[in-house]
């Protein structure tokens, strides 16, 4: 691909230095459809980033777009706070019938502010309110959001440093594989819980990602998650699963925890729940935990009705049967085979993932960044993840075609090879 120099002057002079993704992909995008994005100069890019997981059904999915346009053309309510609307009623009915009932999940549905971090804040507040305790346990390399409560339970030192204040009332424990099997799972955690001299205040809850996305695609084993759930029950701690990035089918099943057989007390969902990239989040919890007072946690944009419309269309289209789940698991085998081949040709590299969330860890942490930049030059969007950005992270849309998936994987292999 021959790249021309786009006019980025307004971004570089007016927009804050905090911008990040645009630095990795220095072009101006103006159109997107399915698994592809296009810049204003007509260059085409295969998208294995998918809005950081918020576009599981691709860009401008035609079924979802039609539902949204019909709703807007009929002057449907766009902003409703937490008022009752026909769009919200339809979403709740479909969510109950397509997602909760088939999985025998008892959850109440809360609409916090429209971002994933707000769903996490709501979950933390609720857990502390229910248990009357302050401490929440999280895990090494976790990422739960950029607001203060979410940062407190996140592990990334760079992001935590941006808080500007102490991040308190949390305790970190090792994630699965963090100790490389040198100690039994949860031995240290449980010892602190039972030892009155450990200094660990009785936690209200534990928050965990089943697959740590920003942390480097670190995958928790089902048996590890099952043991964590039992530990929480034994010690009267609520279990919160943060499914903001790995939910909505990213790992195959609708919720990423389904494979393990656990039923968390609280679940946070965002990113692809609207299906169209529109801001929306949910905090789900067992009915007995619904101790909120009216208005105790609210937000002006918690009633994003256009997002309800596209979310309902997504549930109706993709979750009335198991077709998408089976396709995701089939694509997973293709991705794993390609990464296995790539790792075999690059000493010291490894790969890991579930469903359509995968990471290729390279021996030289700088290699991943070089490979991602080369992939962009070759017409592929991928990001890096991990403590040192040492992992090339793959998040293709779940609806990607087999041909597009194969093309993207070949580009990844080429980018890694050419930048070794």
């Amino acid at each position: 691909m021959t790249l021309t120099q786009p006019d980025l002057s307004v971004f570089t002079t007016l927009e804050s230095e905090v911008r990040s993704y645009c630095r990795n992909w220095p072009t101006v995008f103006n159109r997107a459809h399915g698994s592809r994005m296009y810049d204003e100069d007509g260059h085409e890019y295969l998208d294995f980033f998918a809005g950081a997981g918020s576009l599981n059904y691709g860009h401008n999915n035609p079924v979802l777009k039609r539902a949204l346009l019909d709703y807007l053309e009929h002057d449907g309510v766009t902003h409703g706070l937490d008022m009752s609307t026909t769009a919200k009623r339809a979403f709740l009915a479909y969510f109950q019938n397509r997602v909760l009932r088939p999985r025998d999940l008892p959850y109440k549905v809360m609409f916090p502010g429209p971002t994933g971090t707000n769903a996490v804040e709501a979950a933390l507040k609720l857990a502390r309110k229910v248990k009357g305790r302050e401490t929440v346990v999280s895990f090494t390399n976790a990422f739960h959001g950029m607001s203060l409560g979410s940062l407190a339970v996140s592990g990334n030192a760079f992001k935590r440093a941006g808080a500007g204040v102490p991040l308190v009332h949390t305790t970190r424990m090792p994630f699965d594989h963090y100790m490389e099997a040198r100690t039994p799972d949860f031995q240290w955690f449980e010892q602190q819980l039972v030892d009155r001299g450990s200094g660990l205040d009785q936690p209200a809850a534990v928050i965990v990602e089943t697959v740590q996305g920003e942390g480097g695609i670190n995958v928790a084993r089902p048996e590890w998650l099952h043991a964590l759930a039992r530990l929480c029950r034994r010690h009267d701690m609520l279990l919160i699963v943060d499914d903001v990035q790995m939910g909505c089918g990213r790992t195959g099943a609708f919720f990423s925890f389904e494979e393990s057989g656990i039923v968390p007390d609280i679940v946070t969902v965002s990113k692809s729940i609207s299906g169209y990239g529109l801001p929306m989040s949910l905090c789900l919890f067992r009915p007995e935990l619904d101790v909120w007072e009216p208005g105790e946690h609210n937000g002006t944009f918690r009633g994003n009705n256009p997002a309800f419309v596209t979310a309902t269309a997504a549930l109706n289209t993709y979750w009335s049967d198991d077709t998408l789940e089976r396709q995701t698991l089939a694509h997973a085998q293709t991705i794993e085979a390609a990464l296995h081949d790539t790792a075999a040709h690059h000493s010291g590299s490894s790969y890991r993932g579930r469903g359509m969330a995968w990471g290729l860890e390279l021996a030289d942490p700088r290699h991943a960044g070089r490979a991602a930049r080369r992939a962009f030059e070759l017409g592929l969007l991928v990001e890096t993840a991990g403590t040192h950005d040492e992992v090339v992270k793959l998040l293709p849309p779940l609806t990607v075609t087999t041909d597009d998936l194969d093309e993207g994987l070949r580009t990844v292999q080429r980018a890694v090879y050419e930048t070794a």
Side-chain angles (χ1 to χ4, degrees), residues 1-2 31 56 71 97 131 147 172 175 180 200 227 286-287 301 324 326:
M1 178 186 298
T2 302
R31 188 166 62 89
N56 282 1
Y71 184 75
N97 293 326
K131 292 300 183 182
S147 50
R172 205 87 52 226
F175 191 72
E180 298 179 344
L200 175 63
R286 295 181 185 273
F301 296 101
L324 181 66
R326 287 188 287 105

Short mmCIF file of all heavy atoms in Angstrom, two decimals, residues 1-2 31 56 71 97 131 147 172 175 180 200 227 286-287 301 324 326:
data_model
loop_
_atom_site.label_atom_id
_atom_site.label_comp_id
_atom_site.label_asym_id
_atom_site.label_seq_id
_atom_site.Cartn_x
_atom_site.Cartn_y
_atom_site.Cartn_z
N MET A 1 0.84 -1.18 0.00
CA MET A 1 0.00 0.00 0.00
C MET A 1 0.88 1.24 0.00
O MET A 1 1.83 1.36 0.79
CB MET A 1 -0.91 0.01 1.24
CG MET A 1 -1.80 1.24 1.33
SD MET A 1 -2.72 1.31 2.90
CE MET A 1 -3.72 -0.16 2.77
N THR A 2 0.58 2.19 -0.88
CA THR A 2 1.30 3.46 -0.92
C THR A 2 0.51 4.49 -0.13
O THR A 2 -0.64 4.80 -0.48
CB THR A 2 1.49 3.95 -2.36
OG1 THR A 2 2.20 2.95 -3.09
CG2 THR A 2 2.26 5.26 -2.38
N ARG A 31 -14.93 6.20 6.35
CA ARG A 31 -15.98 5.25 5.98
C ARG A 31 -15.61 3.88 6.51
O ARG A 31 -14.42 3.55 6.61
CB ARG A 31 -16.14 5.21 4.45
CG ARG A 31 -17.34 4.41 3.96
CD ARG A 31 -17.60 4.71 2.48
NE ARG A 31 -16.48 4.32 1.64
CZ ARG A 31 -16.35 3.10 1.09
NH1 ARG A 31 -17.26 2.16 1.32
NH2 ARG A 31 -15.31 2.83 0.31
N ASN A 56 -18.38 -6.12 17.60
CA ASN A 56 -18.37 -7.57 17.37
C ASN A 56 -19.12 -7.96 16.10
O ASN A 56 -18.81 -8.99 15.49
CB ASN A 56 -19.00 -8.31 18.55
CG ASN A 56 -18.05 -8.42 19.73
OD1 ASN A 56 -16.92 -7.93 19.68
ND2 ASN A 56 -18.49 -9.07 20.79
N TYR A 71 -36.06 3.57 13.35
CA TYR A 71 -36.43 4.17 14.63
C TYR A 71 -36.30 5.69 14.58
O TYR A 71 -37.19 6.43 15.03
CB TYR A 71 -35.53 3.60 15.73
CG TYR A 71 -35.86 4.07 17.12
CD1 TYR A 71 -36.97 3.57 17.81
CD2 TYR A 71 -35.04 5.01 17.76
CE1 TYR A 71 -37.26 4.00 19.10
CE2 TYR A 71 -35.32 5.44 19.05
CZ TYR A 71 -36.44 4.93 19.71
OH TYR A 71 -36.72 5.36 20.98
N ASN A 97 -35.29 -13.01 27.15
CA ASN A 97 -35.68 -14.21 26.42
C ASN A 97 -34.55 -14.83 25.60
O ASN A 97 -34.53 -16.05 25.39
CB ASN A 97 -36.87 -13.91 25.51
CG ASN A 97 -38.12 -13.59 26.30
OD1 ASN A 97 -38.35 -14.15 27.37
ND2 ASN A 97 -38.94 -12.68 25.79
N LYS A 131 -22.39 -5.54 51.30
CA LYS A 131 -21.60 -6.20 52.34
C LYS A 131 -21.20 -5.28 53.48
O LYS A 131 -20.77 -5.76 54.54
CB LYS A 131 -20.35 -6.83 51.72
CG LYS A 131 -20.64 -8.00 50.79
CD LYS A 131 -21.37 -9.12 51.53
CE LYS A 131 -21.60 -10.32 50.64
NZ LYS A 131 -22.36 -11.39 51.35
N SER A 147 -11.80 5.48 35.32
CA SER A 147 -12.28 6.30 36.43
C SER A 147 -11.65 5.77 37.72
O SER A 147 -11.09 4.67 37.76
CB SER A 147 -13.80 6.30 36.49
OG SER A 147 -14.32 4.99 36.45
N ARG A 172 -4.42 -6.69 45.65
CA ARG A 172 -4.12 -7.44 44.43
C ARG A 172 -3.72 -8.87 44.76
O ARG A 172 -3.00 -9.13 45.72
CB ARG A 172 -2.96 -6.77 43.69
CG ARG A 172 -2.93 -7.04 42.21
CD ARG A 172 -3.78 -6.08 41.41
NE ARG A 172 -3.44 -4.72 41.74
CZ ARG A 172 -4.35 -3.77 41.99
NH1 ARG A 172 -5.62 -4.05 41.95
NH2 ARG A 172 -3.98 -2.54 42.26
N PHE A 175 -3.13 -13.47 39.24
CA PHE A 175 -4.03 -14.06 38.25
C PHE A 175 -3.55 -15.47 37.90
O PHE A 175 -2.43 -15.86 38.22
CB PHE A 175 -4.06 -13.17 37.01
CG PHE A 175 -5.15 -13.51 36.01
CD1 PHE A 175 -6.48 -13.24 36.29
CD2 PHE A 175 -4.82 -14.07 34.79
CE1 PHE A 175 -7.48 -13.55 35.37
CE2 PHE A 175 -5.81 -14.38 33.85
CZ PHE A 175 -7.14 -14.11 34.15
N GLU A 180 3.24 -19.14 37.71
CA GLU A 180 3.76 -20.25 36.90
C GLU A 180 3.74 -21.58 37.66
O GLU A 180 4.70 -22.35 37.63
CB GLU A 180 5.18 -19.92 36.42
CG GLU A 180 5.24 -18.69 35.53
CD GLU A 180 6.64 -18.35 35.08
OE1 GLU A 180 7.60 -18.88 35.68
OE2 GLU A 180 6.79 -17.56 34.14
N LEU A 200 -5.15 -8.29 55.97
CA LEU A 200 -6.15 -8.16 54.93
C LEU A 200 -7.53 -7.98 55.57
O LEU A 200 -8.02 -8.86 56.27
CB LEU A 200 -6.16 -9.40 54.02
CG LEU A 200 -7.27 -9.44 52.95
CD1 LEU A 200 -7.09 -8.30 51.95
CD2 LEU A 200 -7.25 -10.79 52.22
N ALA A 227 -12.64 -22.57 41.10
CA ALA A 227 -12.05 -22.52 42.43
C ALA A 227 -12.21 -21.13 43.05
O ALA A 227 -12.45 -21.00 44.26
CB ALA A 227 -10.57 -22.90 42.37
N ARG A 286 -27.63 -10.46 41.01
CA ARG A 286 -28.68 -11.31 41.60
C ARG A 286 -29.76 -10.43 42.24
O ARG A 286 -29.45 -9.38 42.82
CB ARG A 286 -28.07 -12.23 42.66
CG ARG A 286 -27.07 -13.25 42.12
CD ARG A 286 -26.56 -14.13 43.25
NE ARG A 286 -25.52 -15.06 42.82
CZ ARG A 286 -25.76 -16.27 42.31
NH1 ARG A 286 -27.01 -16.68 42.16
NH2 ARG A 286 -24.76 -17.06 41.97
N PRO A 287 -31.03 -10.85 42.16
CA PRO A 287 -32.12 -10.00 42.67
C PRO A 287 -31.98 -9.59 44.12
O PRO A 287 -32.33 -8.46 44.50
CB PRO A 287 -33.36 -10.87 42.46
CG PRO A 287 -33.00 -11.81 41.36
CD PRO A 287 -31.53 -12.07 41.52
N PHE A 301 -26.95 9.99 30.60
CA PHE A 301 -27.02 9.23 29.34
C PHE A 301 -27.18 7.73 29.56
O PHE A 301 -26.75 6.94 28.72
CB PHE A 301 -25.78 9.55 28.49
CG PHE A 301 -25.72 10.99 28.07
CD1 PHE A 301 -24.90 11.88 28.73
CD2 PHE A 301 -26.52 11.45 27.04
CE1 PHE A 301 -24.84 13.21 28.36
CE2 PHE A 301 -26.49 12.79 26.66
CZ PHE A 301 -25.65 13.68 27.32
N LEU A 324 -23.85 -18.10 15.44
CA LEU A 324 -22.70 -17.22 15.62
C LEU A 324 -21.68 -17.85 16.56
O LEU A 324 -20.46 -17.77 16.31
CB LEU A 324 -23.15 -15.87 16.17
CG LEU A 324 -22.02 -14.84 16.37
CD1 LEU A 324 -21.41 -14.44 15.04
CD2 LEU A 324 -22.52 -13.62 17.13
N ARG A 326 -21.04 -21.03 17.08
CA ARG A 326 -20.32 -22.09 16.38
C ARG A 326 -19.33 -21.52 15.36
O ARG A 326 -18.22 -22.02 15.20
CB ARG A 326 -21.31 -23.04 15.69
CG ARG A 326 -22.07 -23.94 16.67
CD ARG A 326 -22.91 -25.00 15.97
NE ARG A 326 -24.10 -24.44 15.33
CZ ARG A 326 -24.25 -24.25 14.03
NH1 ARG A 326 -23.26 -24.60 13.19
NH2 ARG A 326 -25.35 -23.75 13.54
#
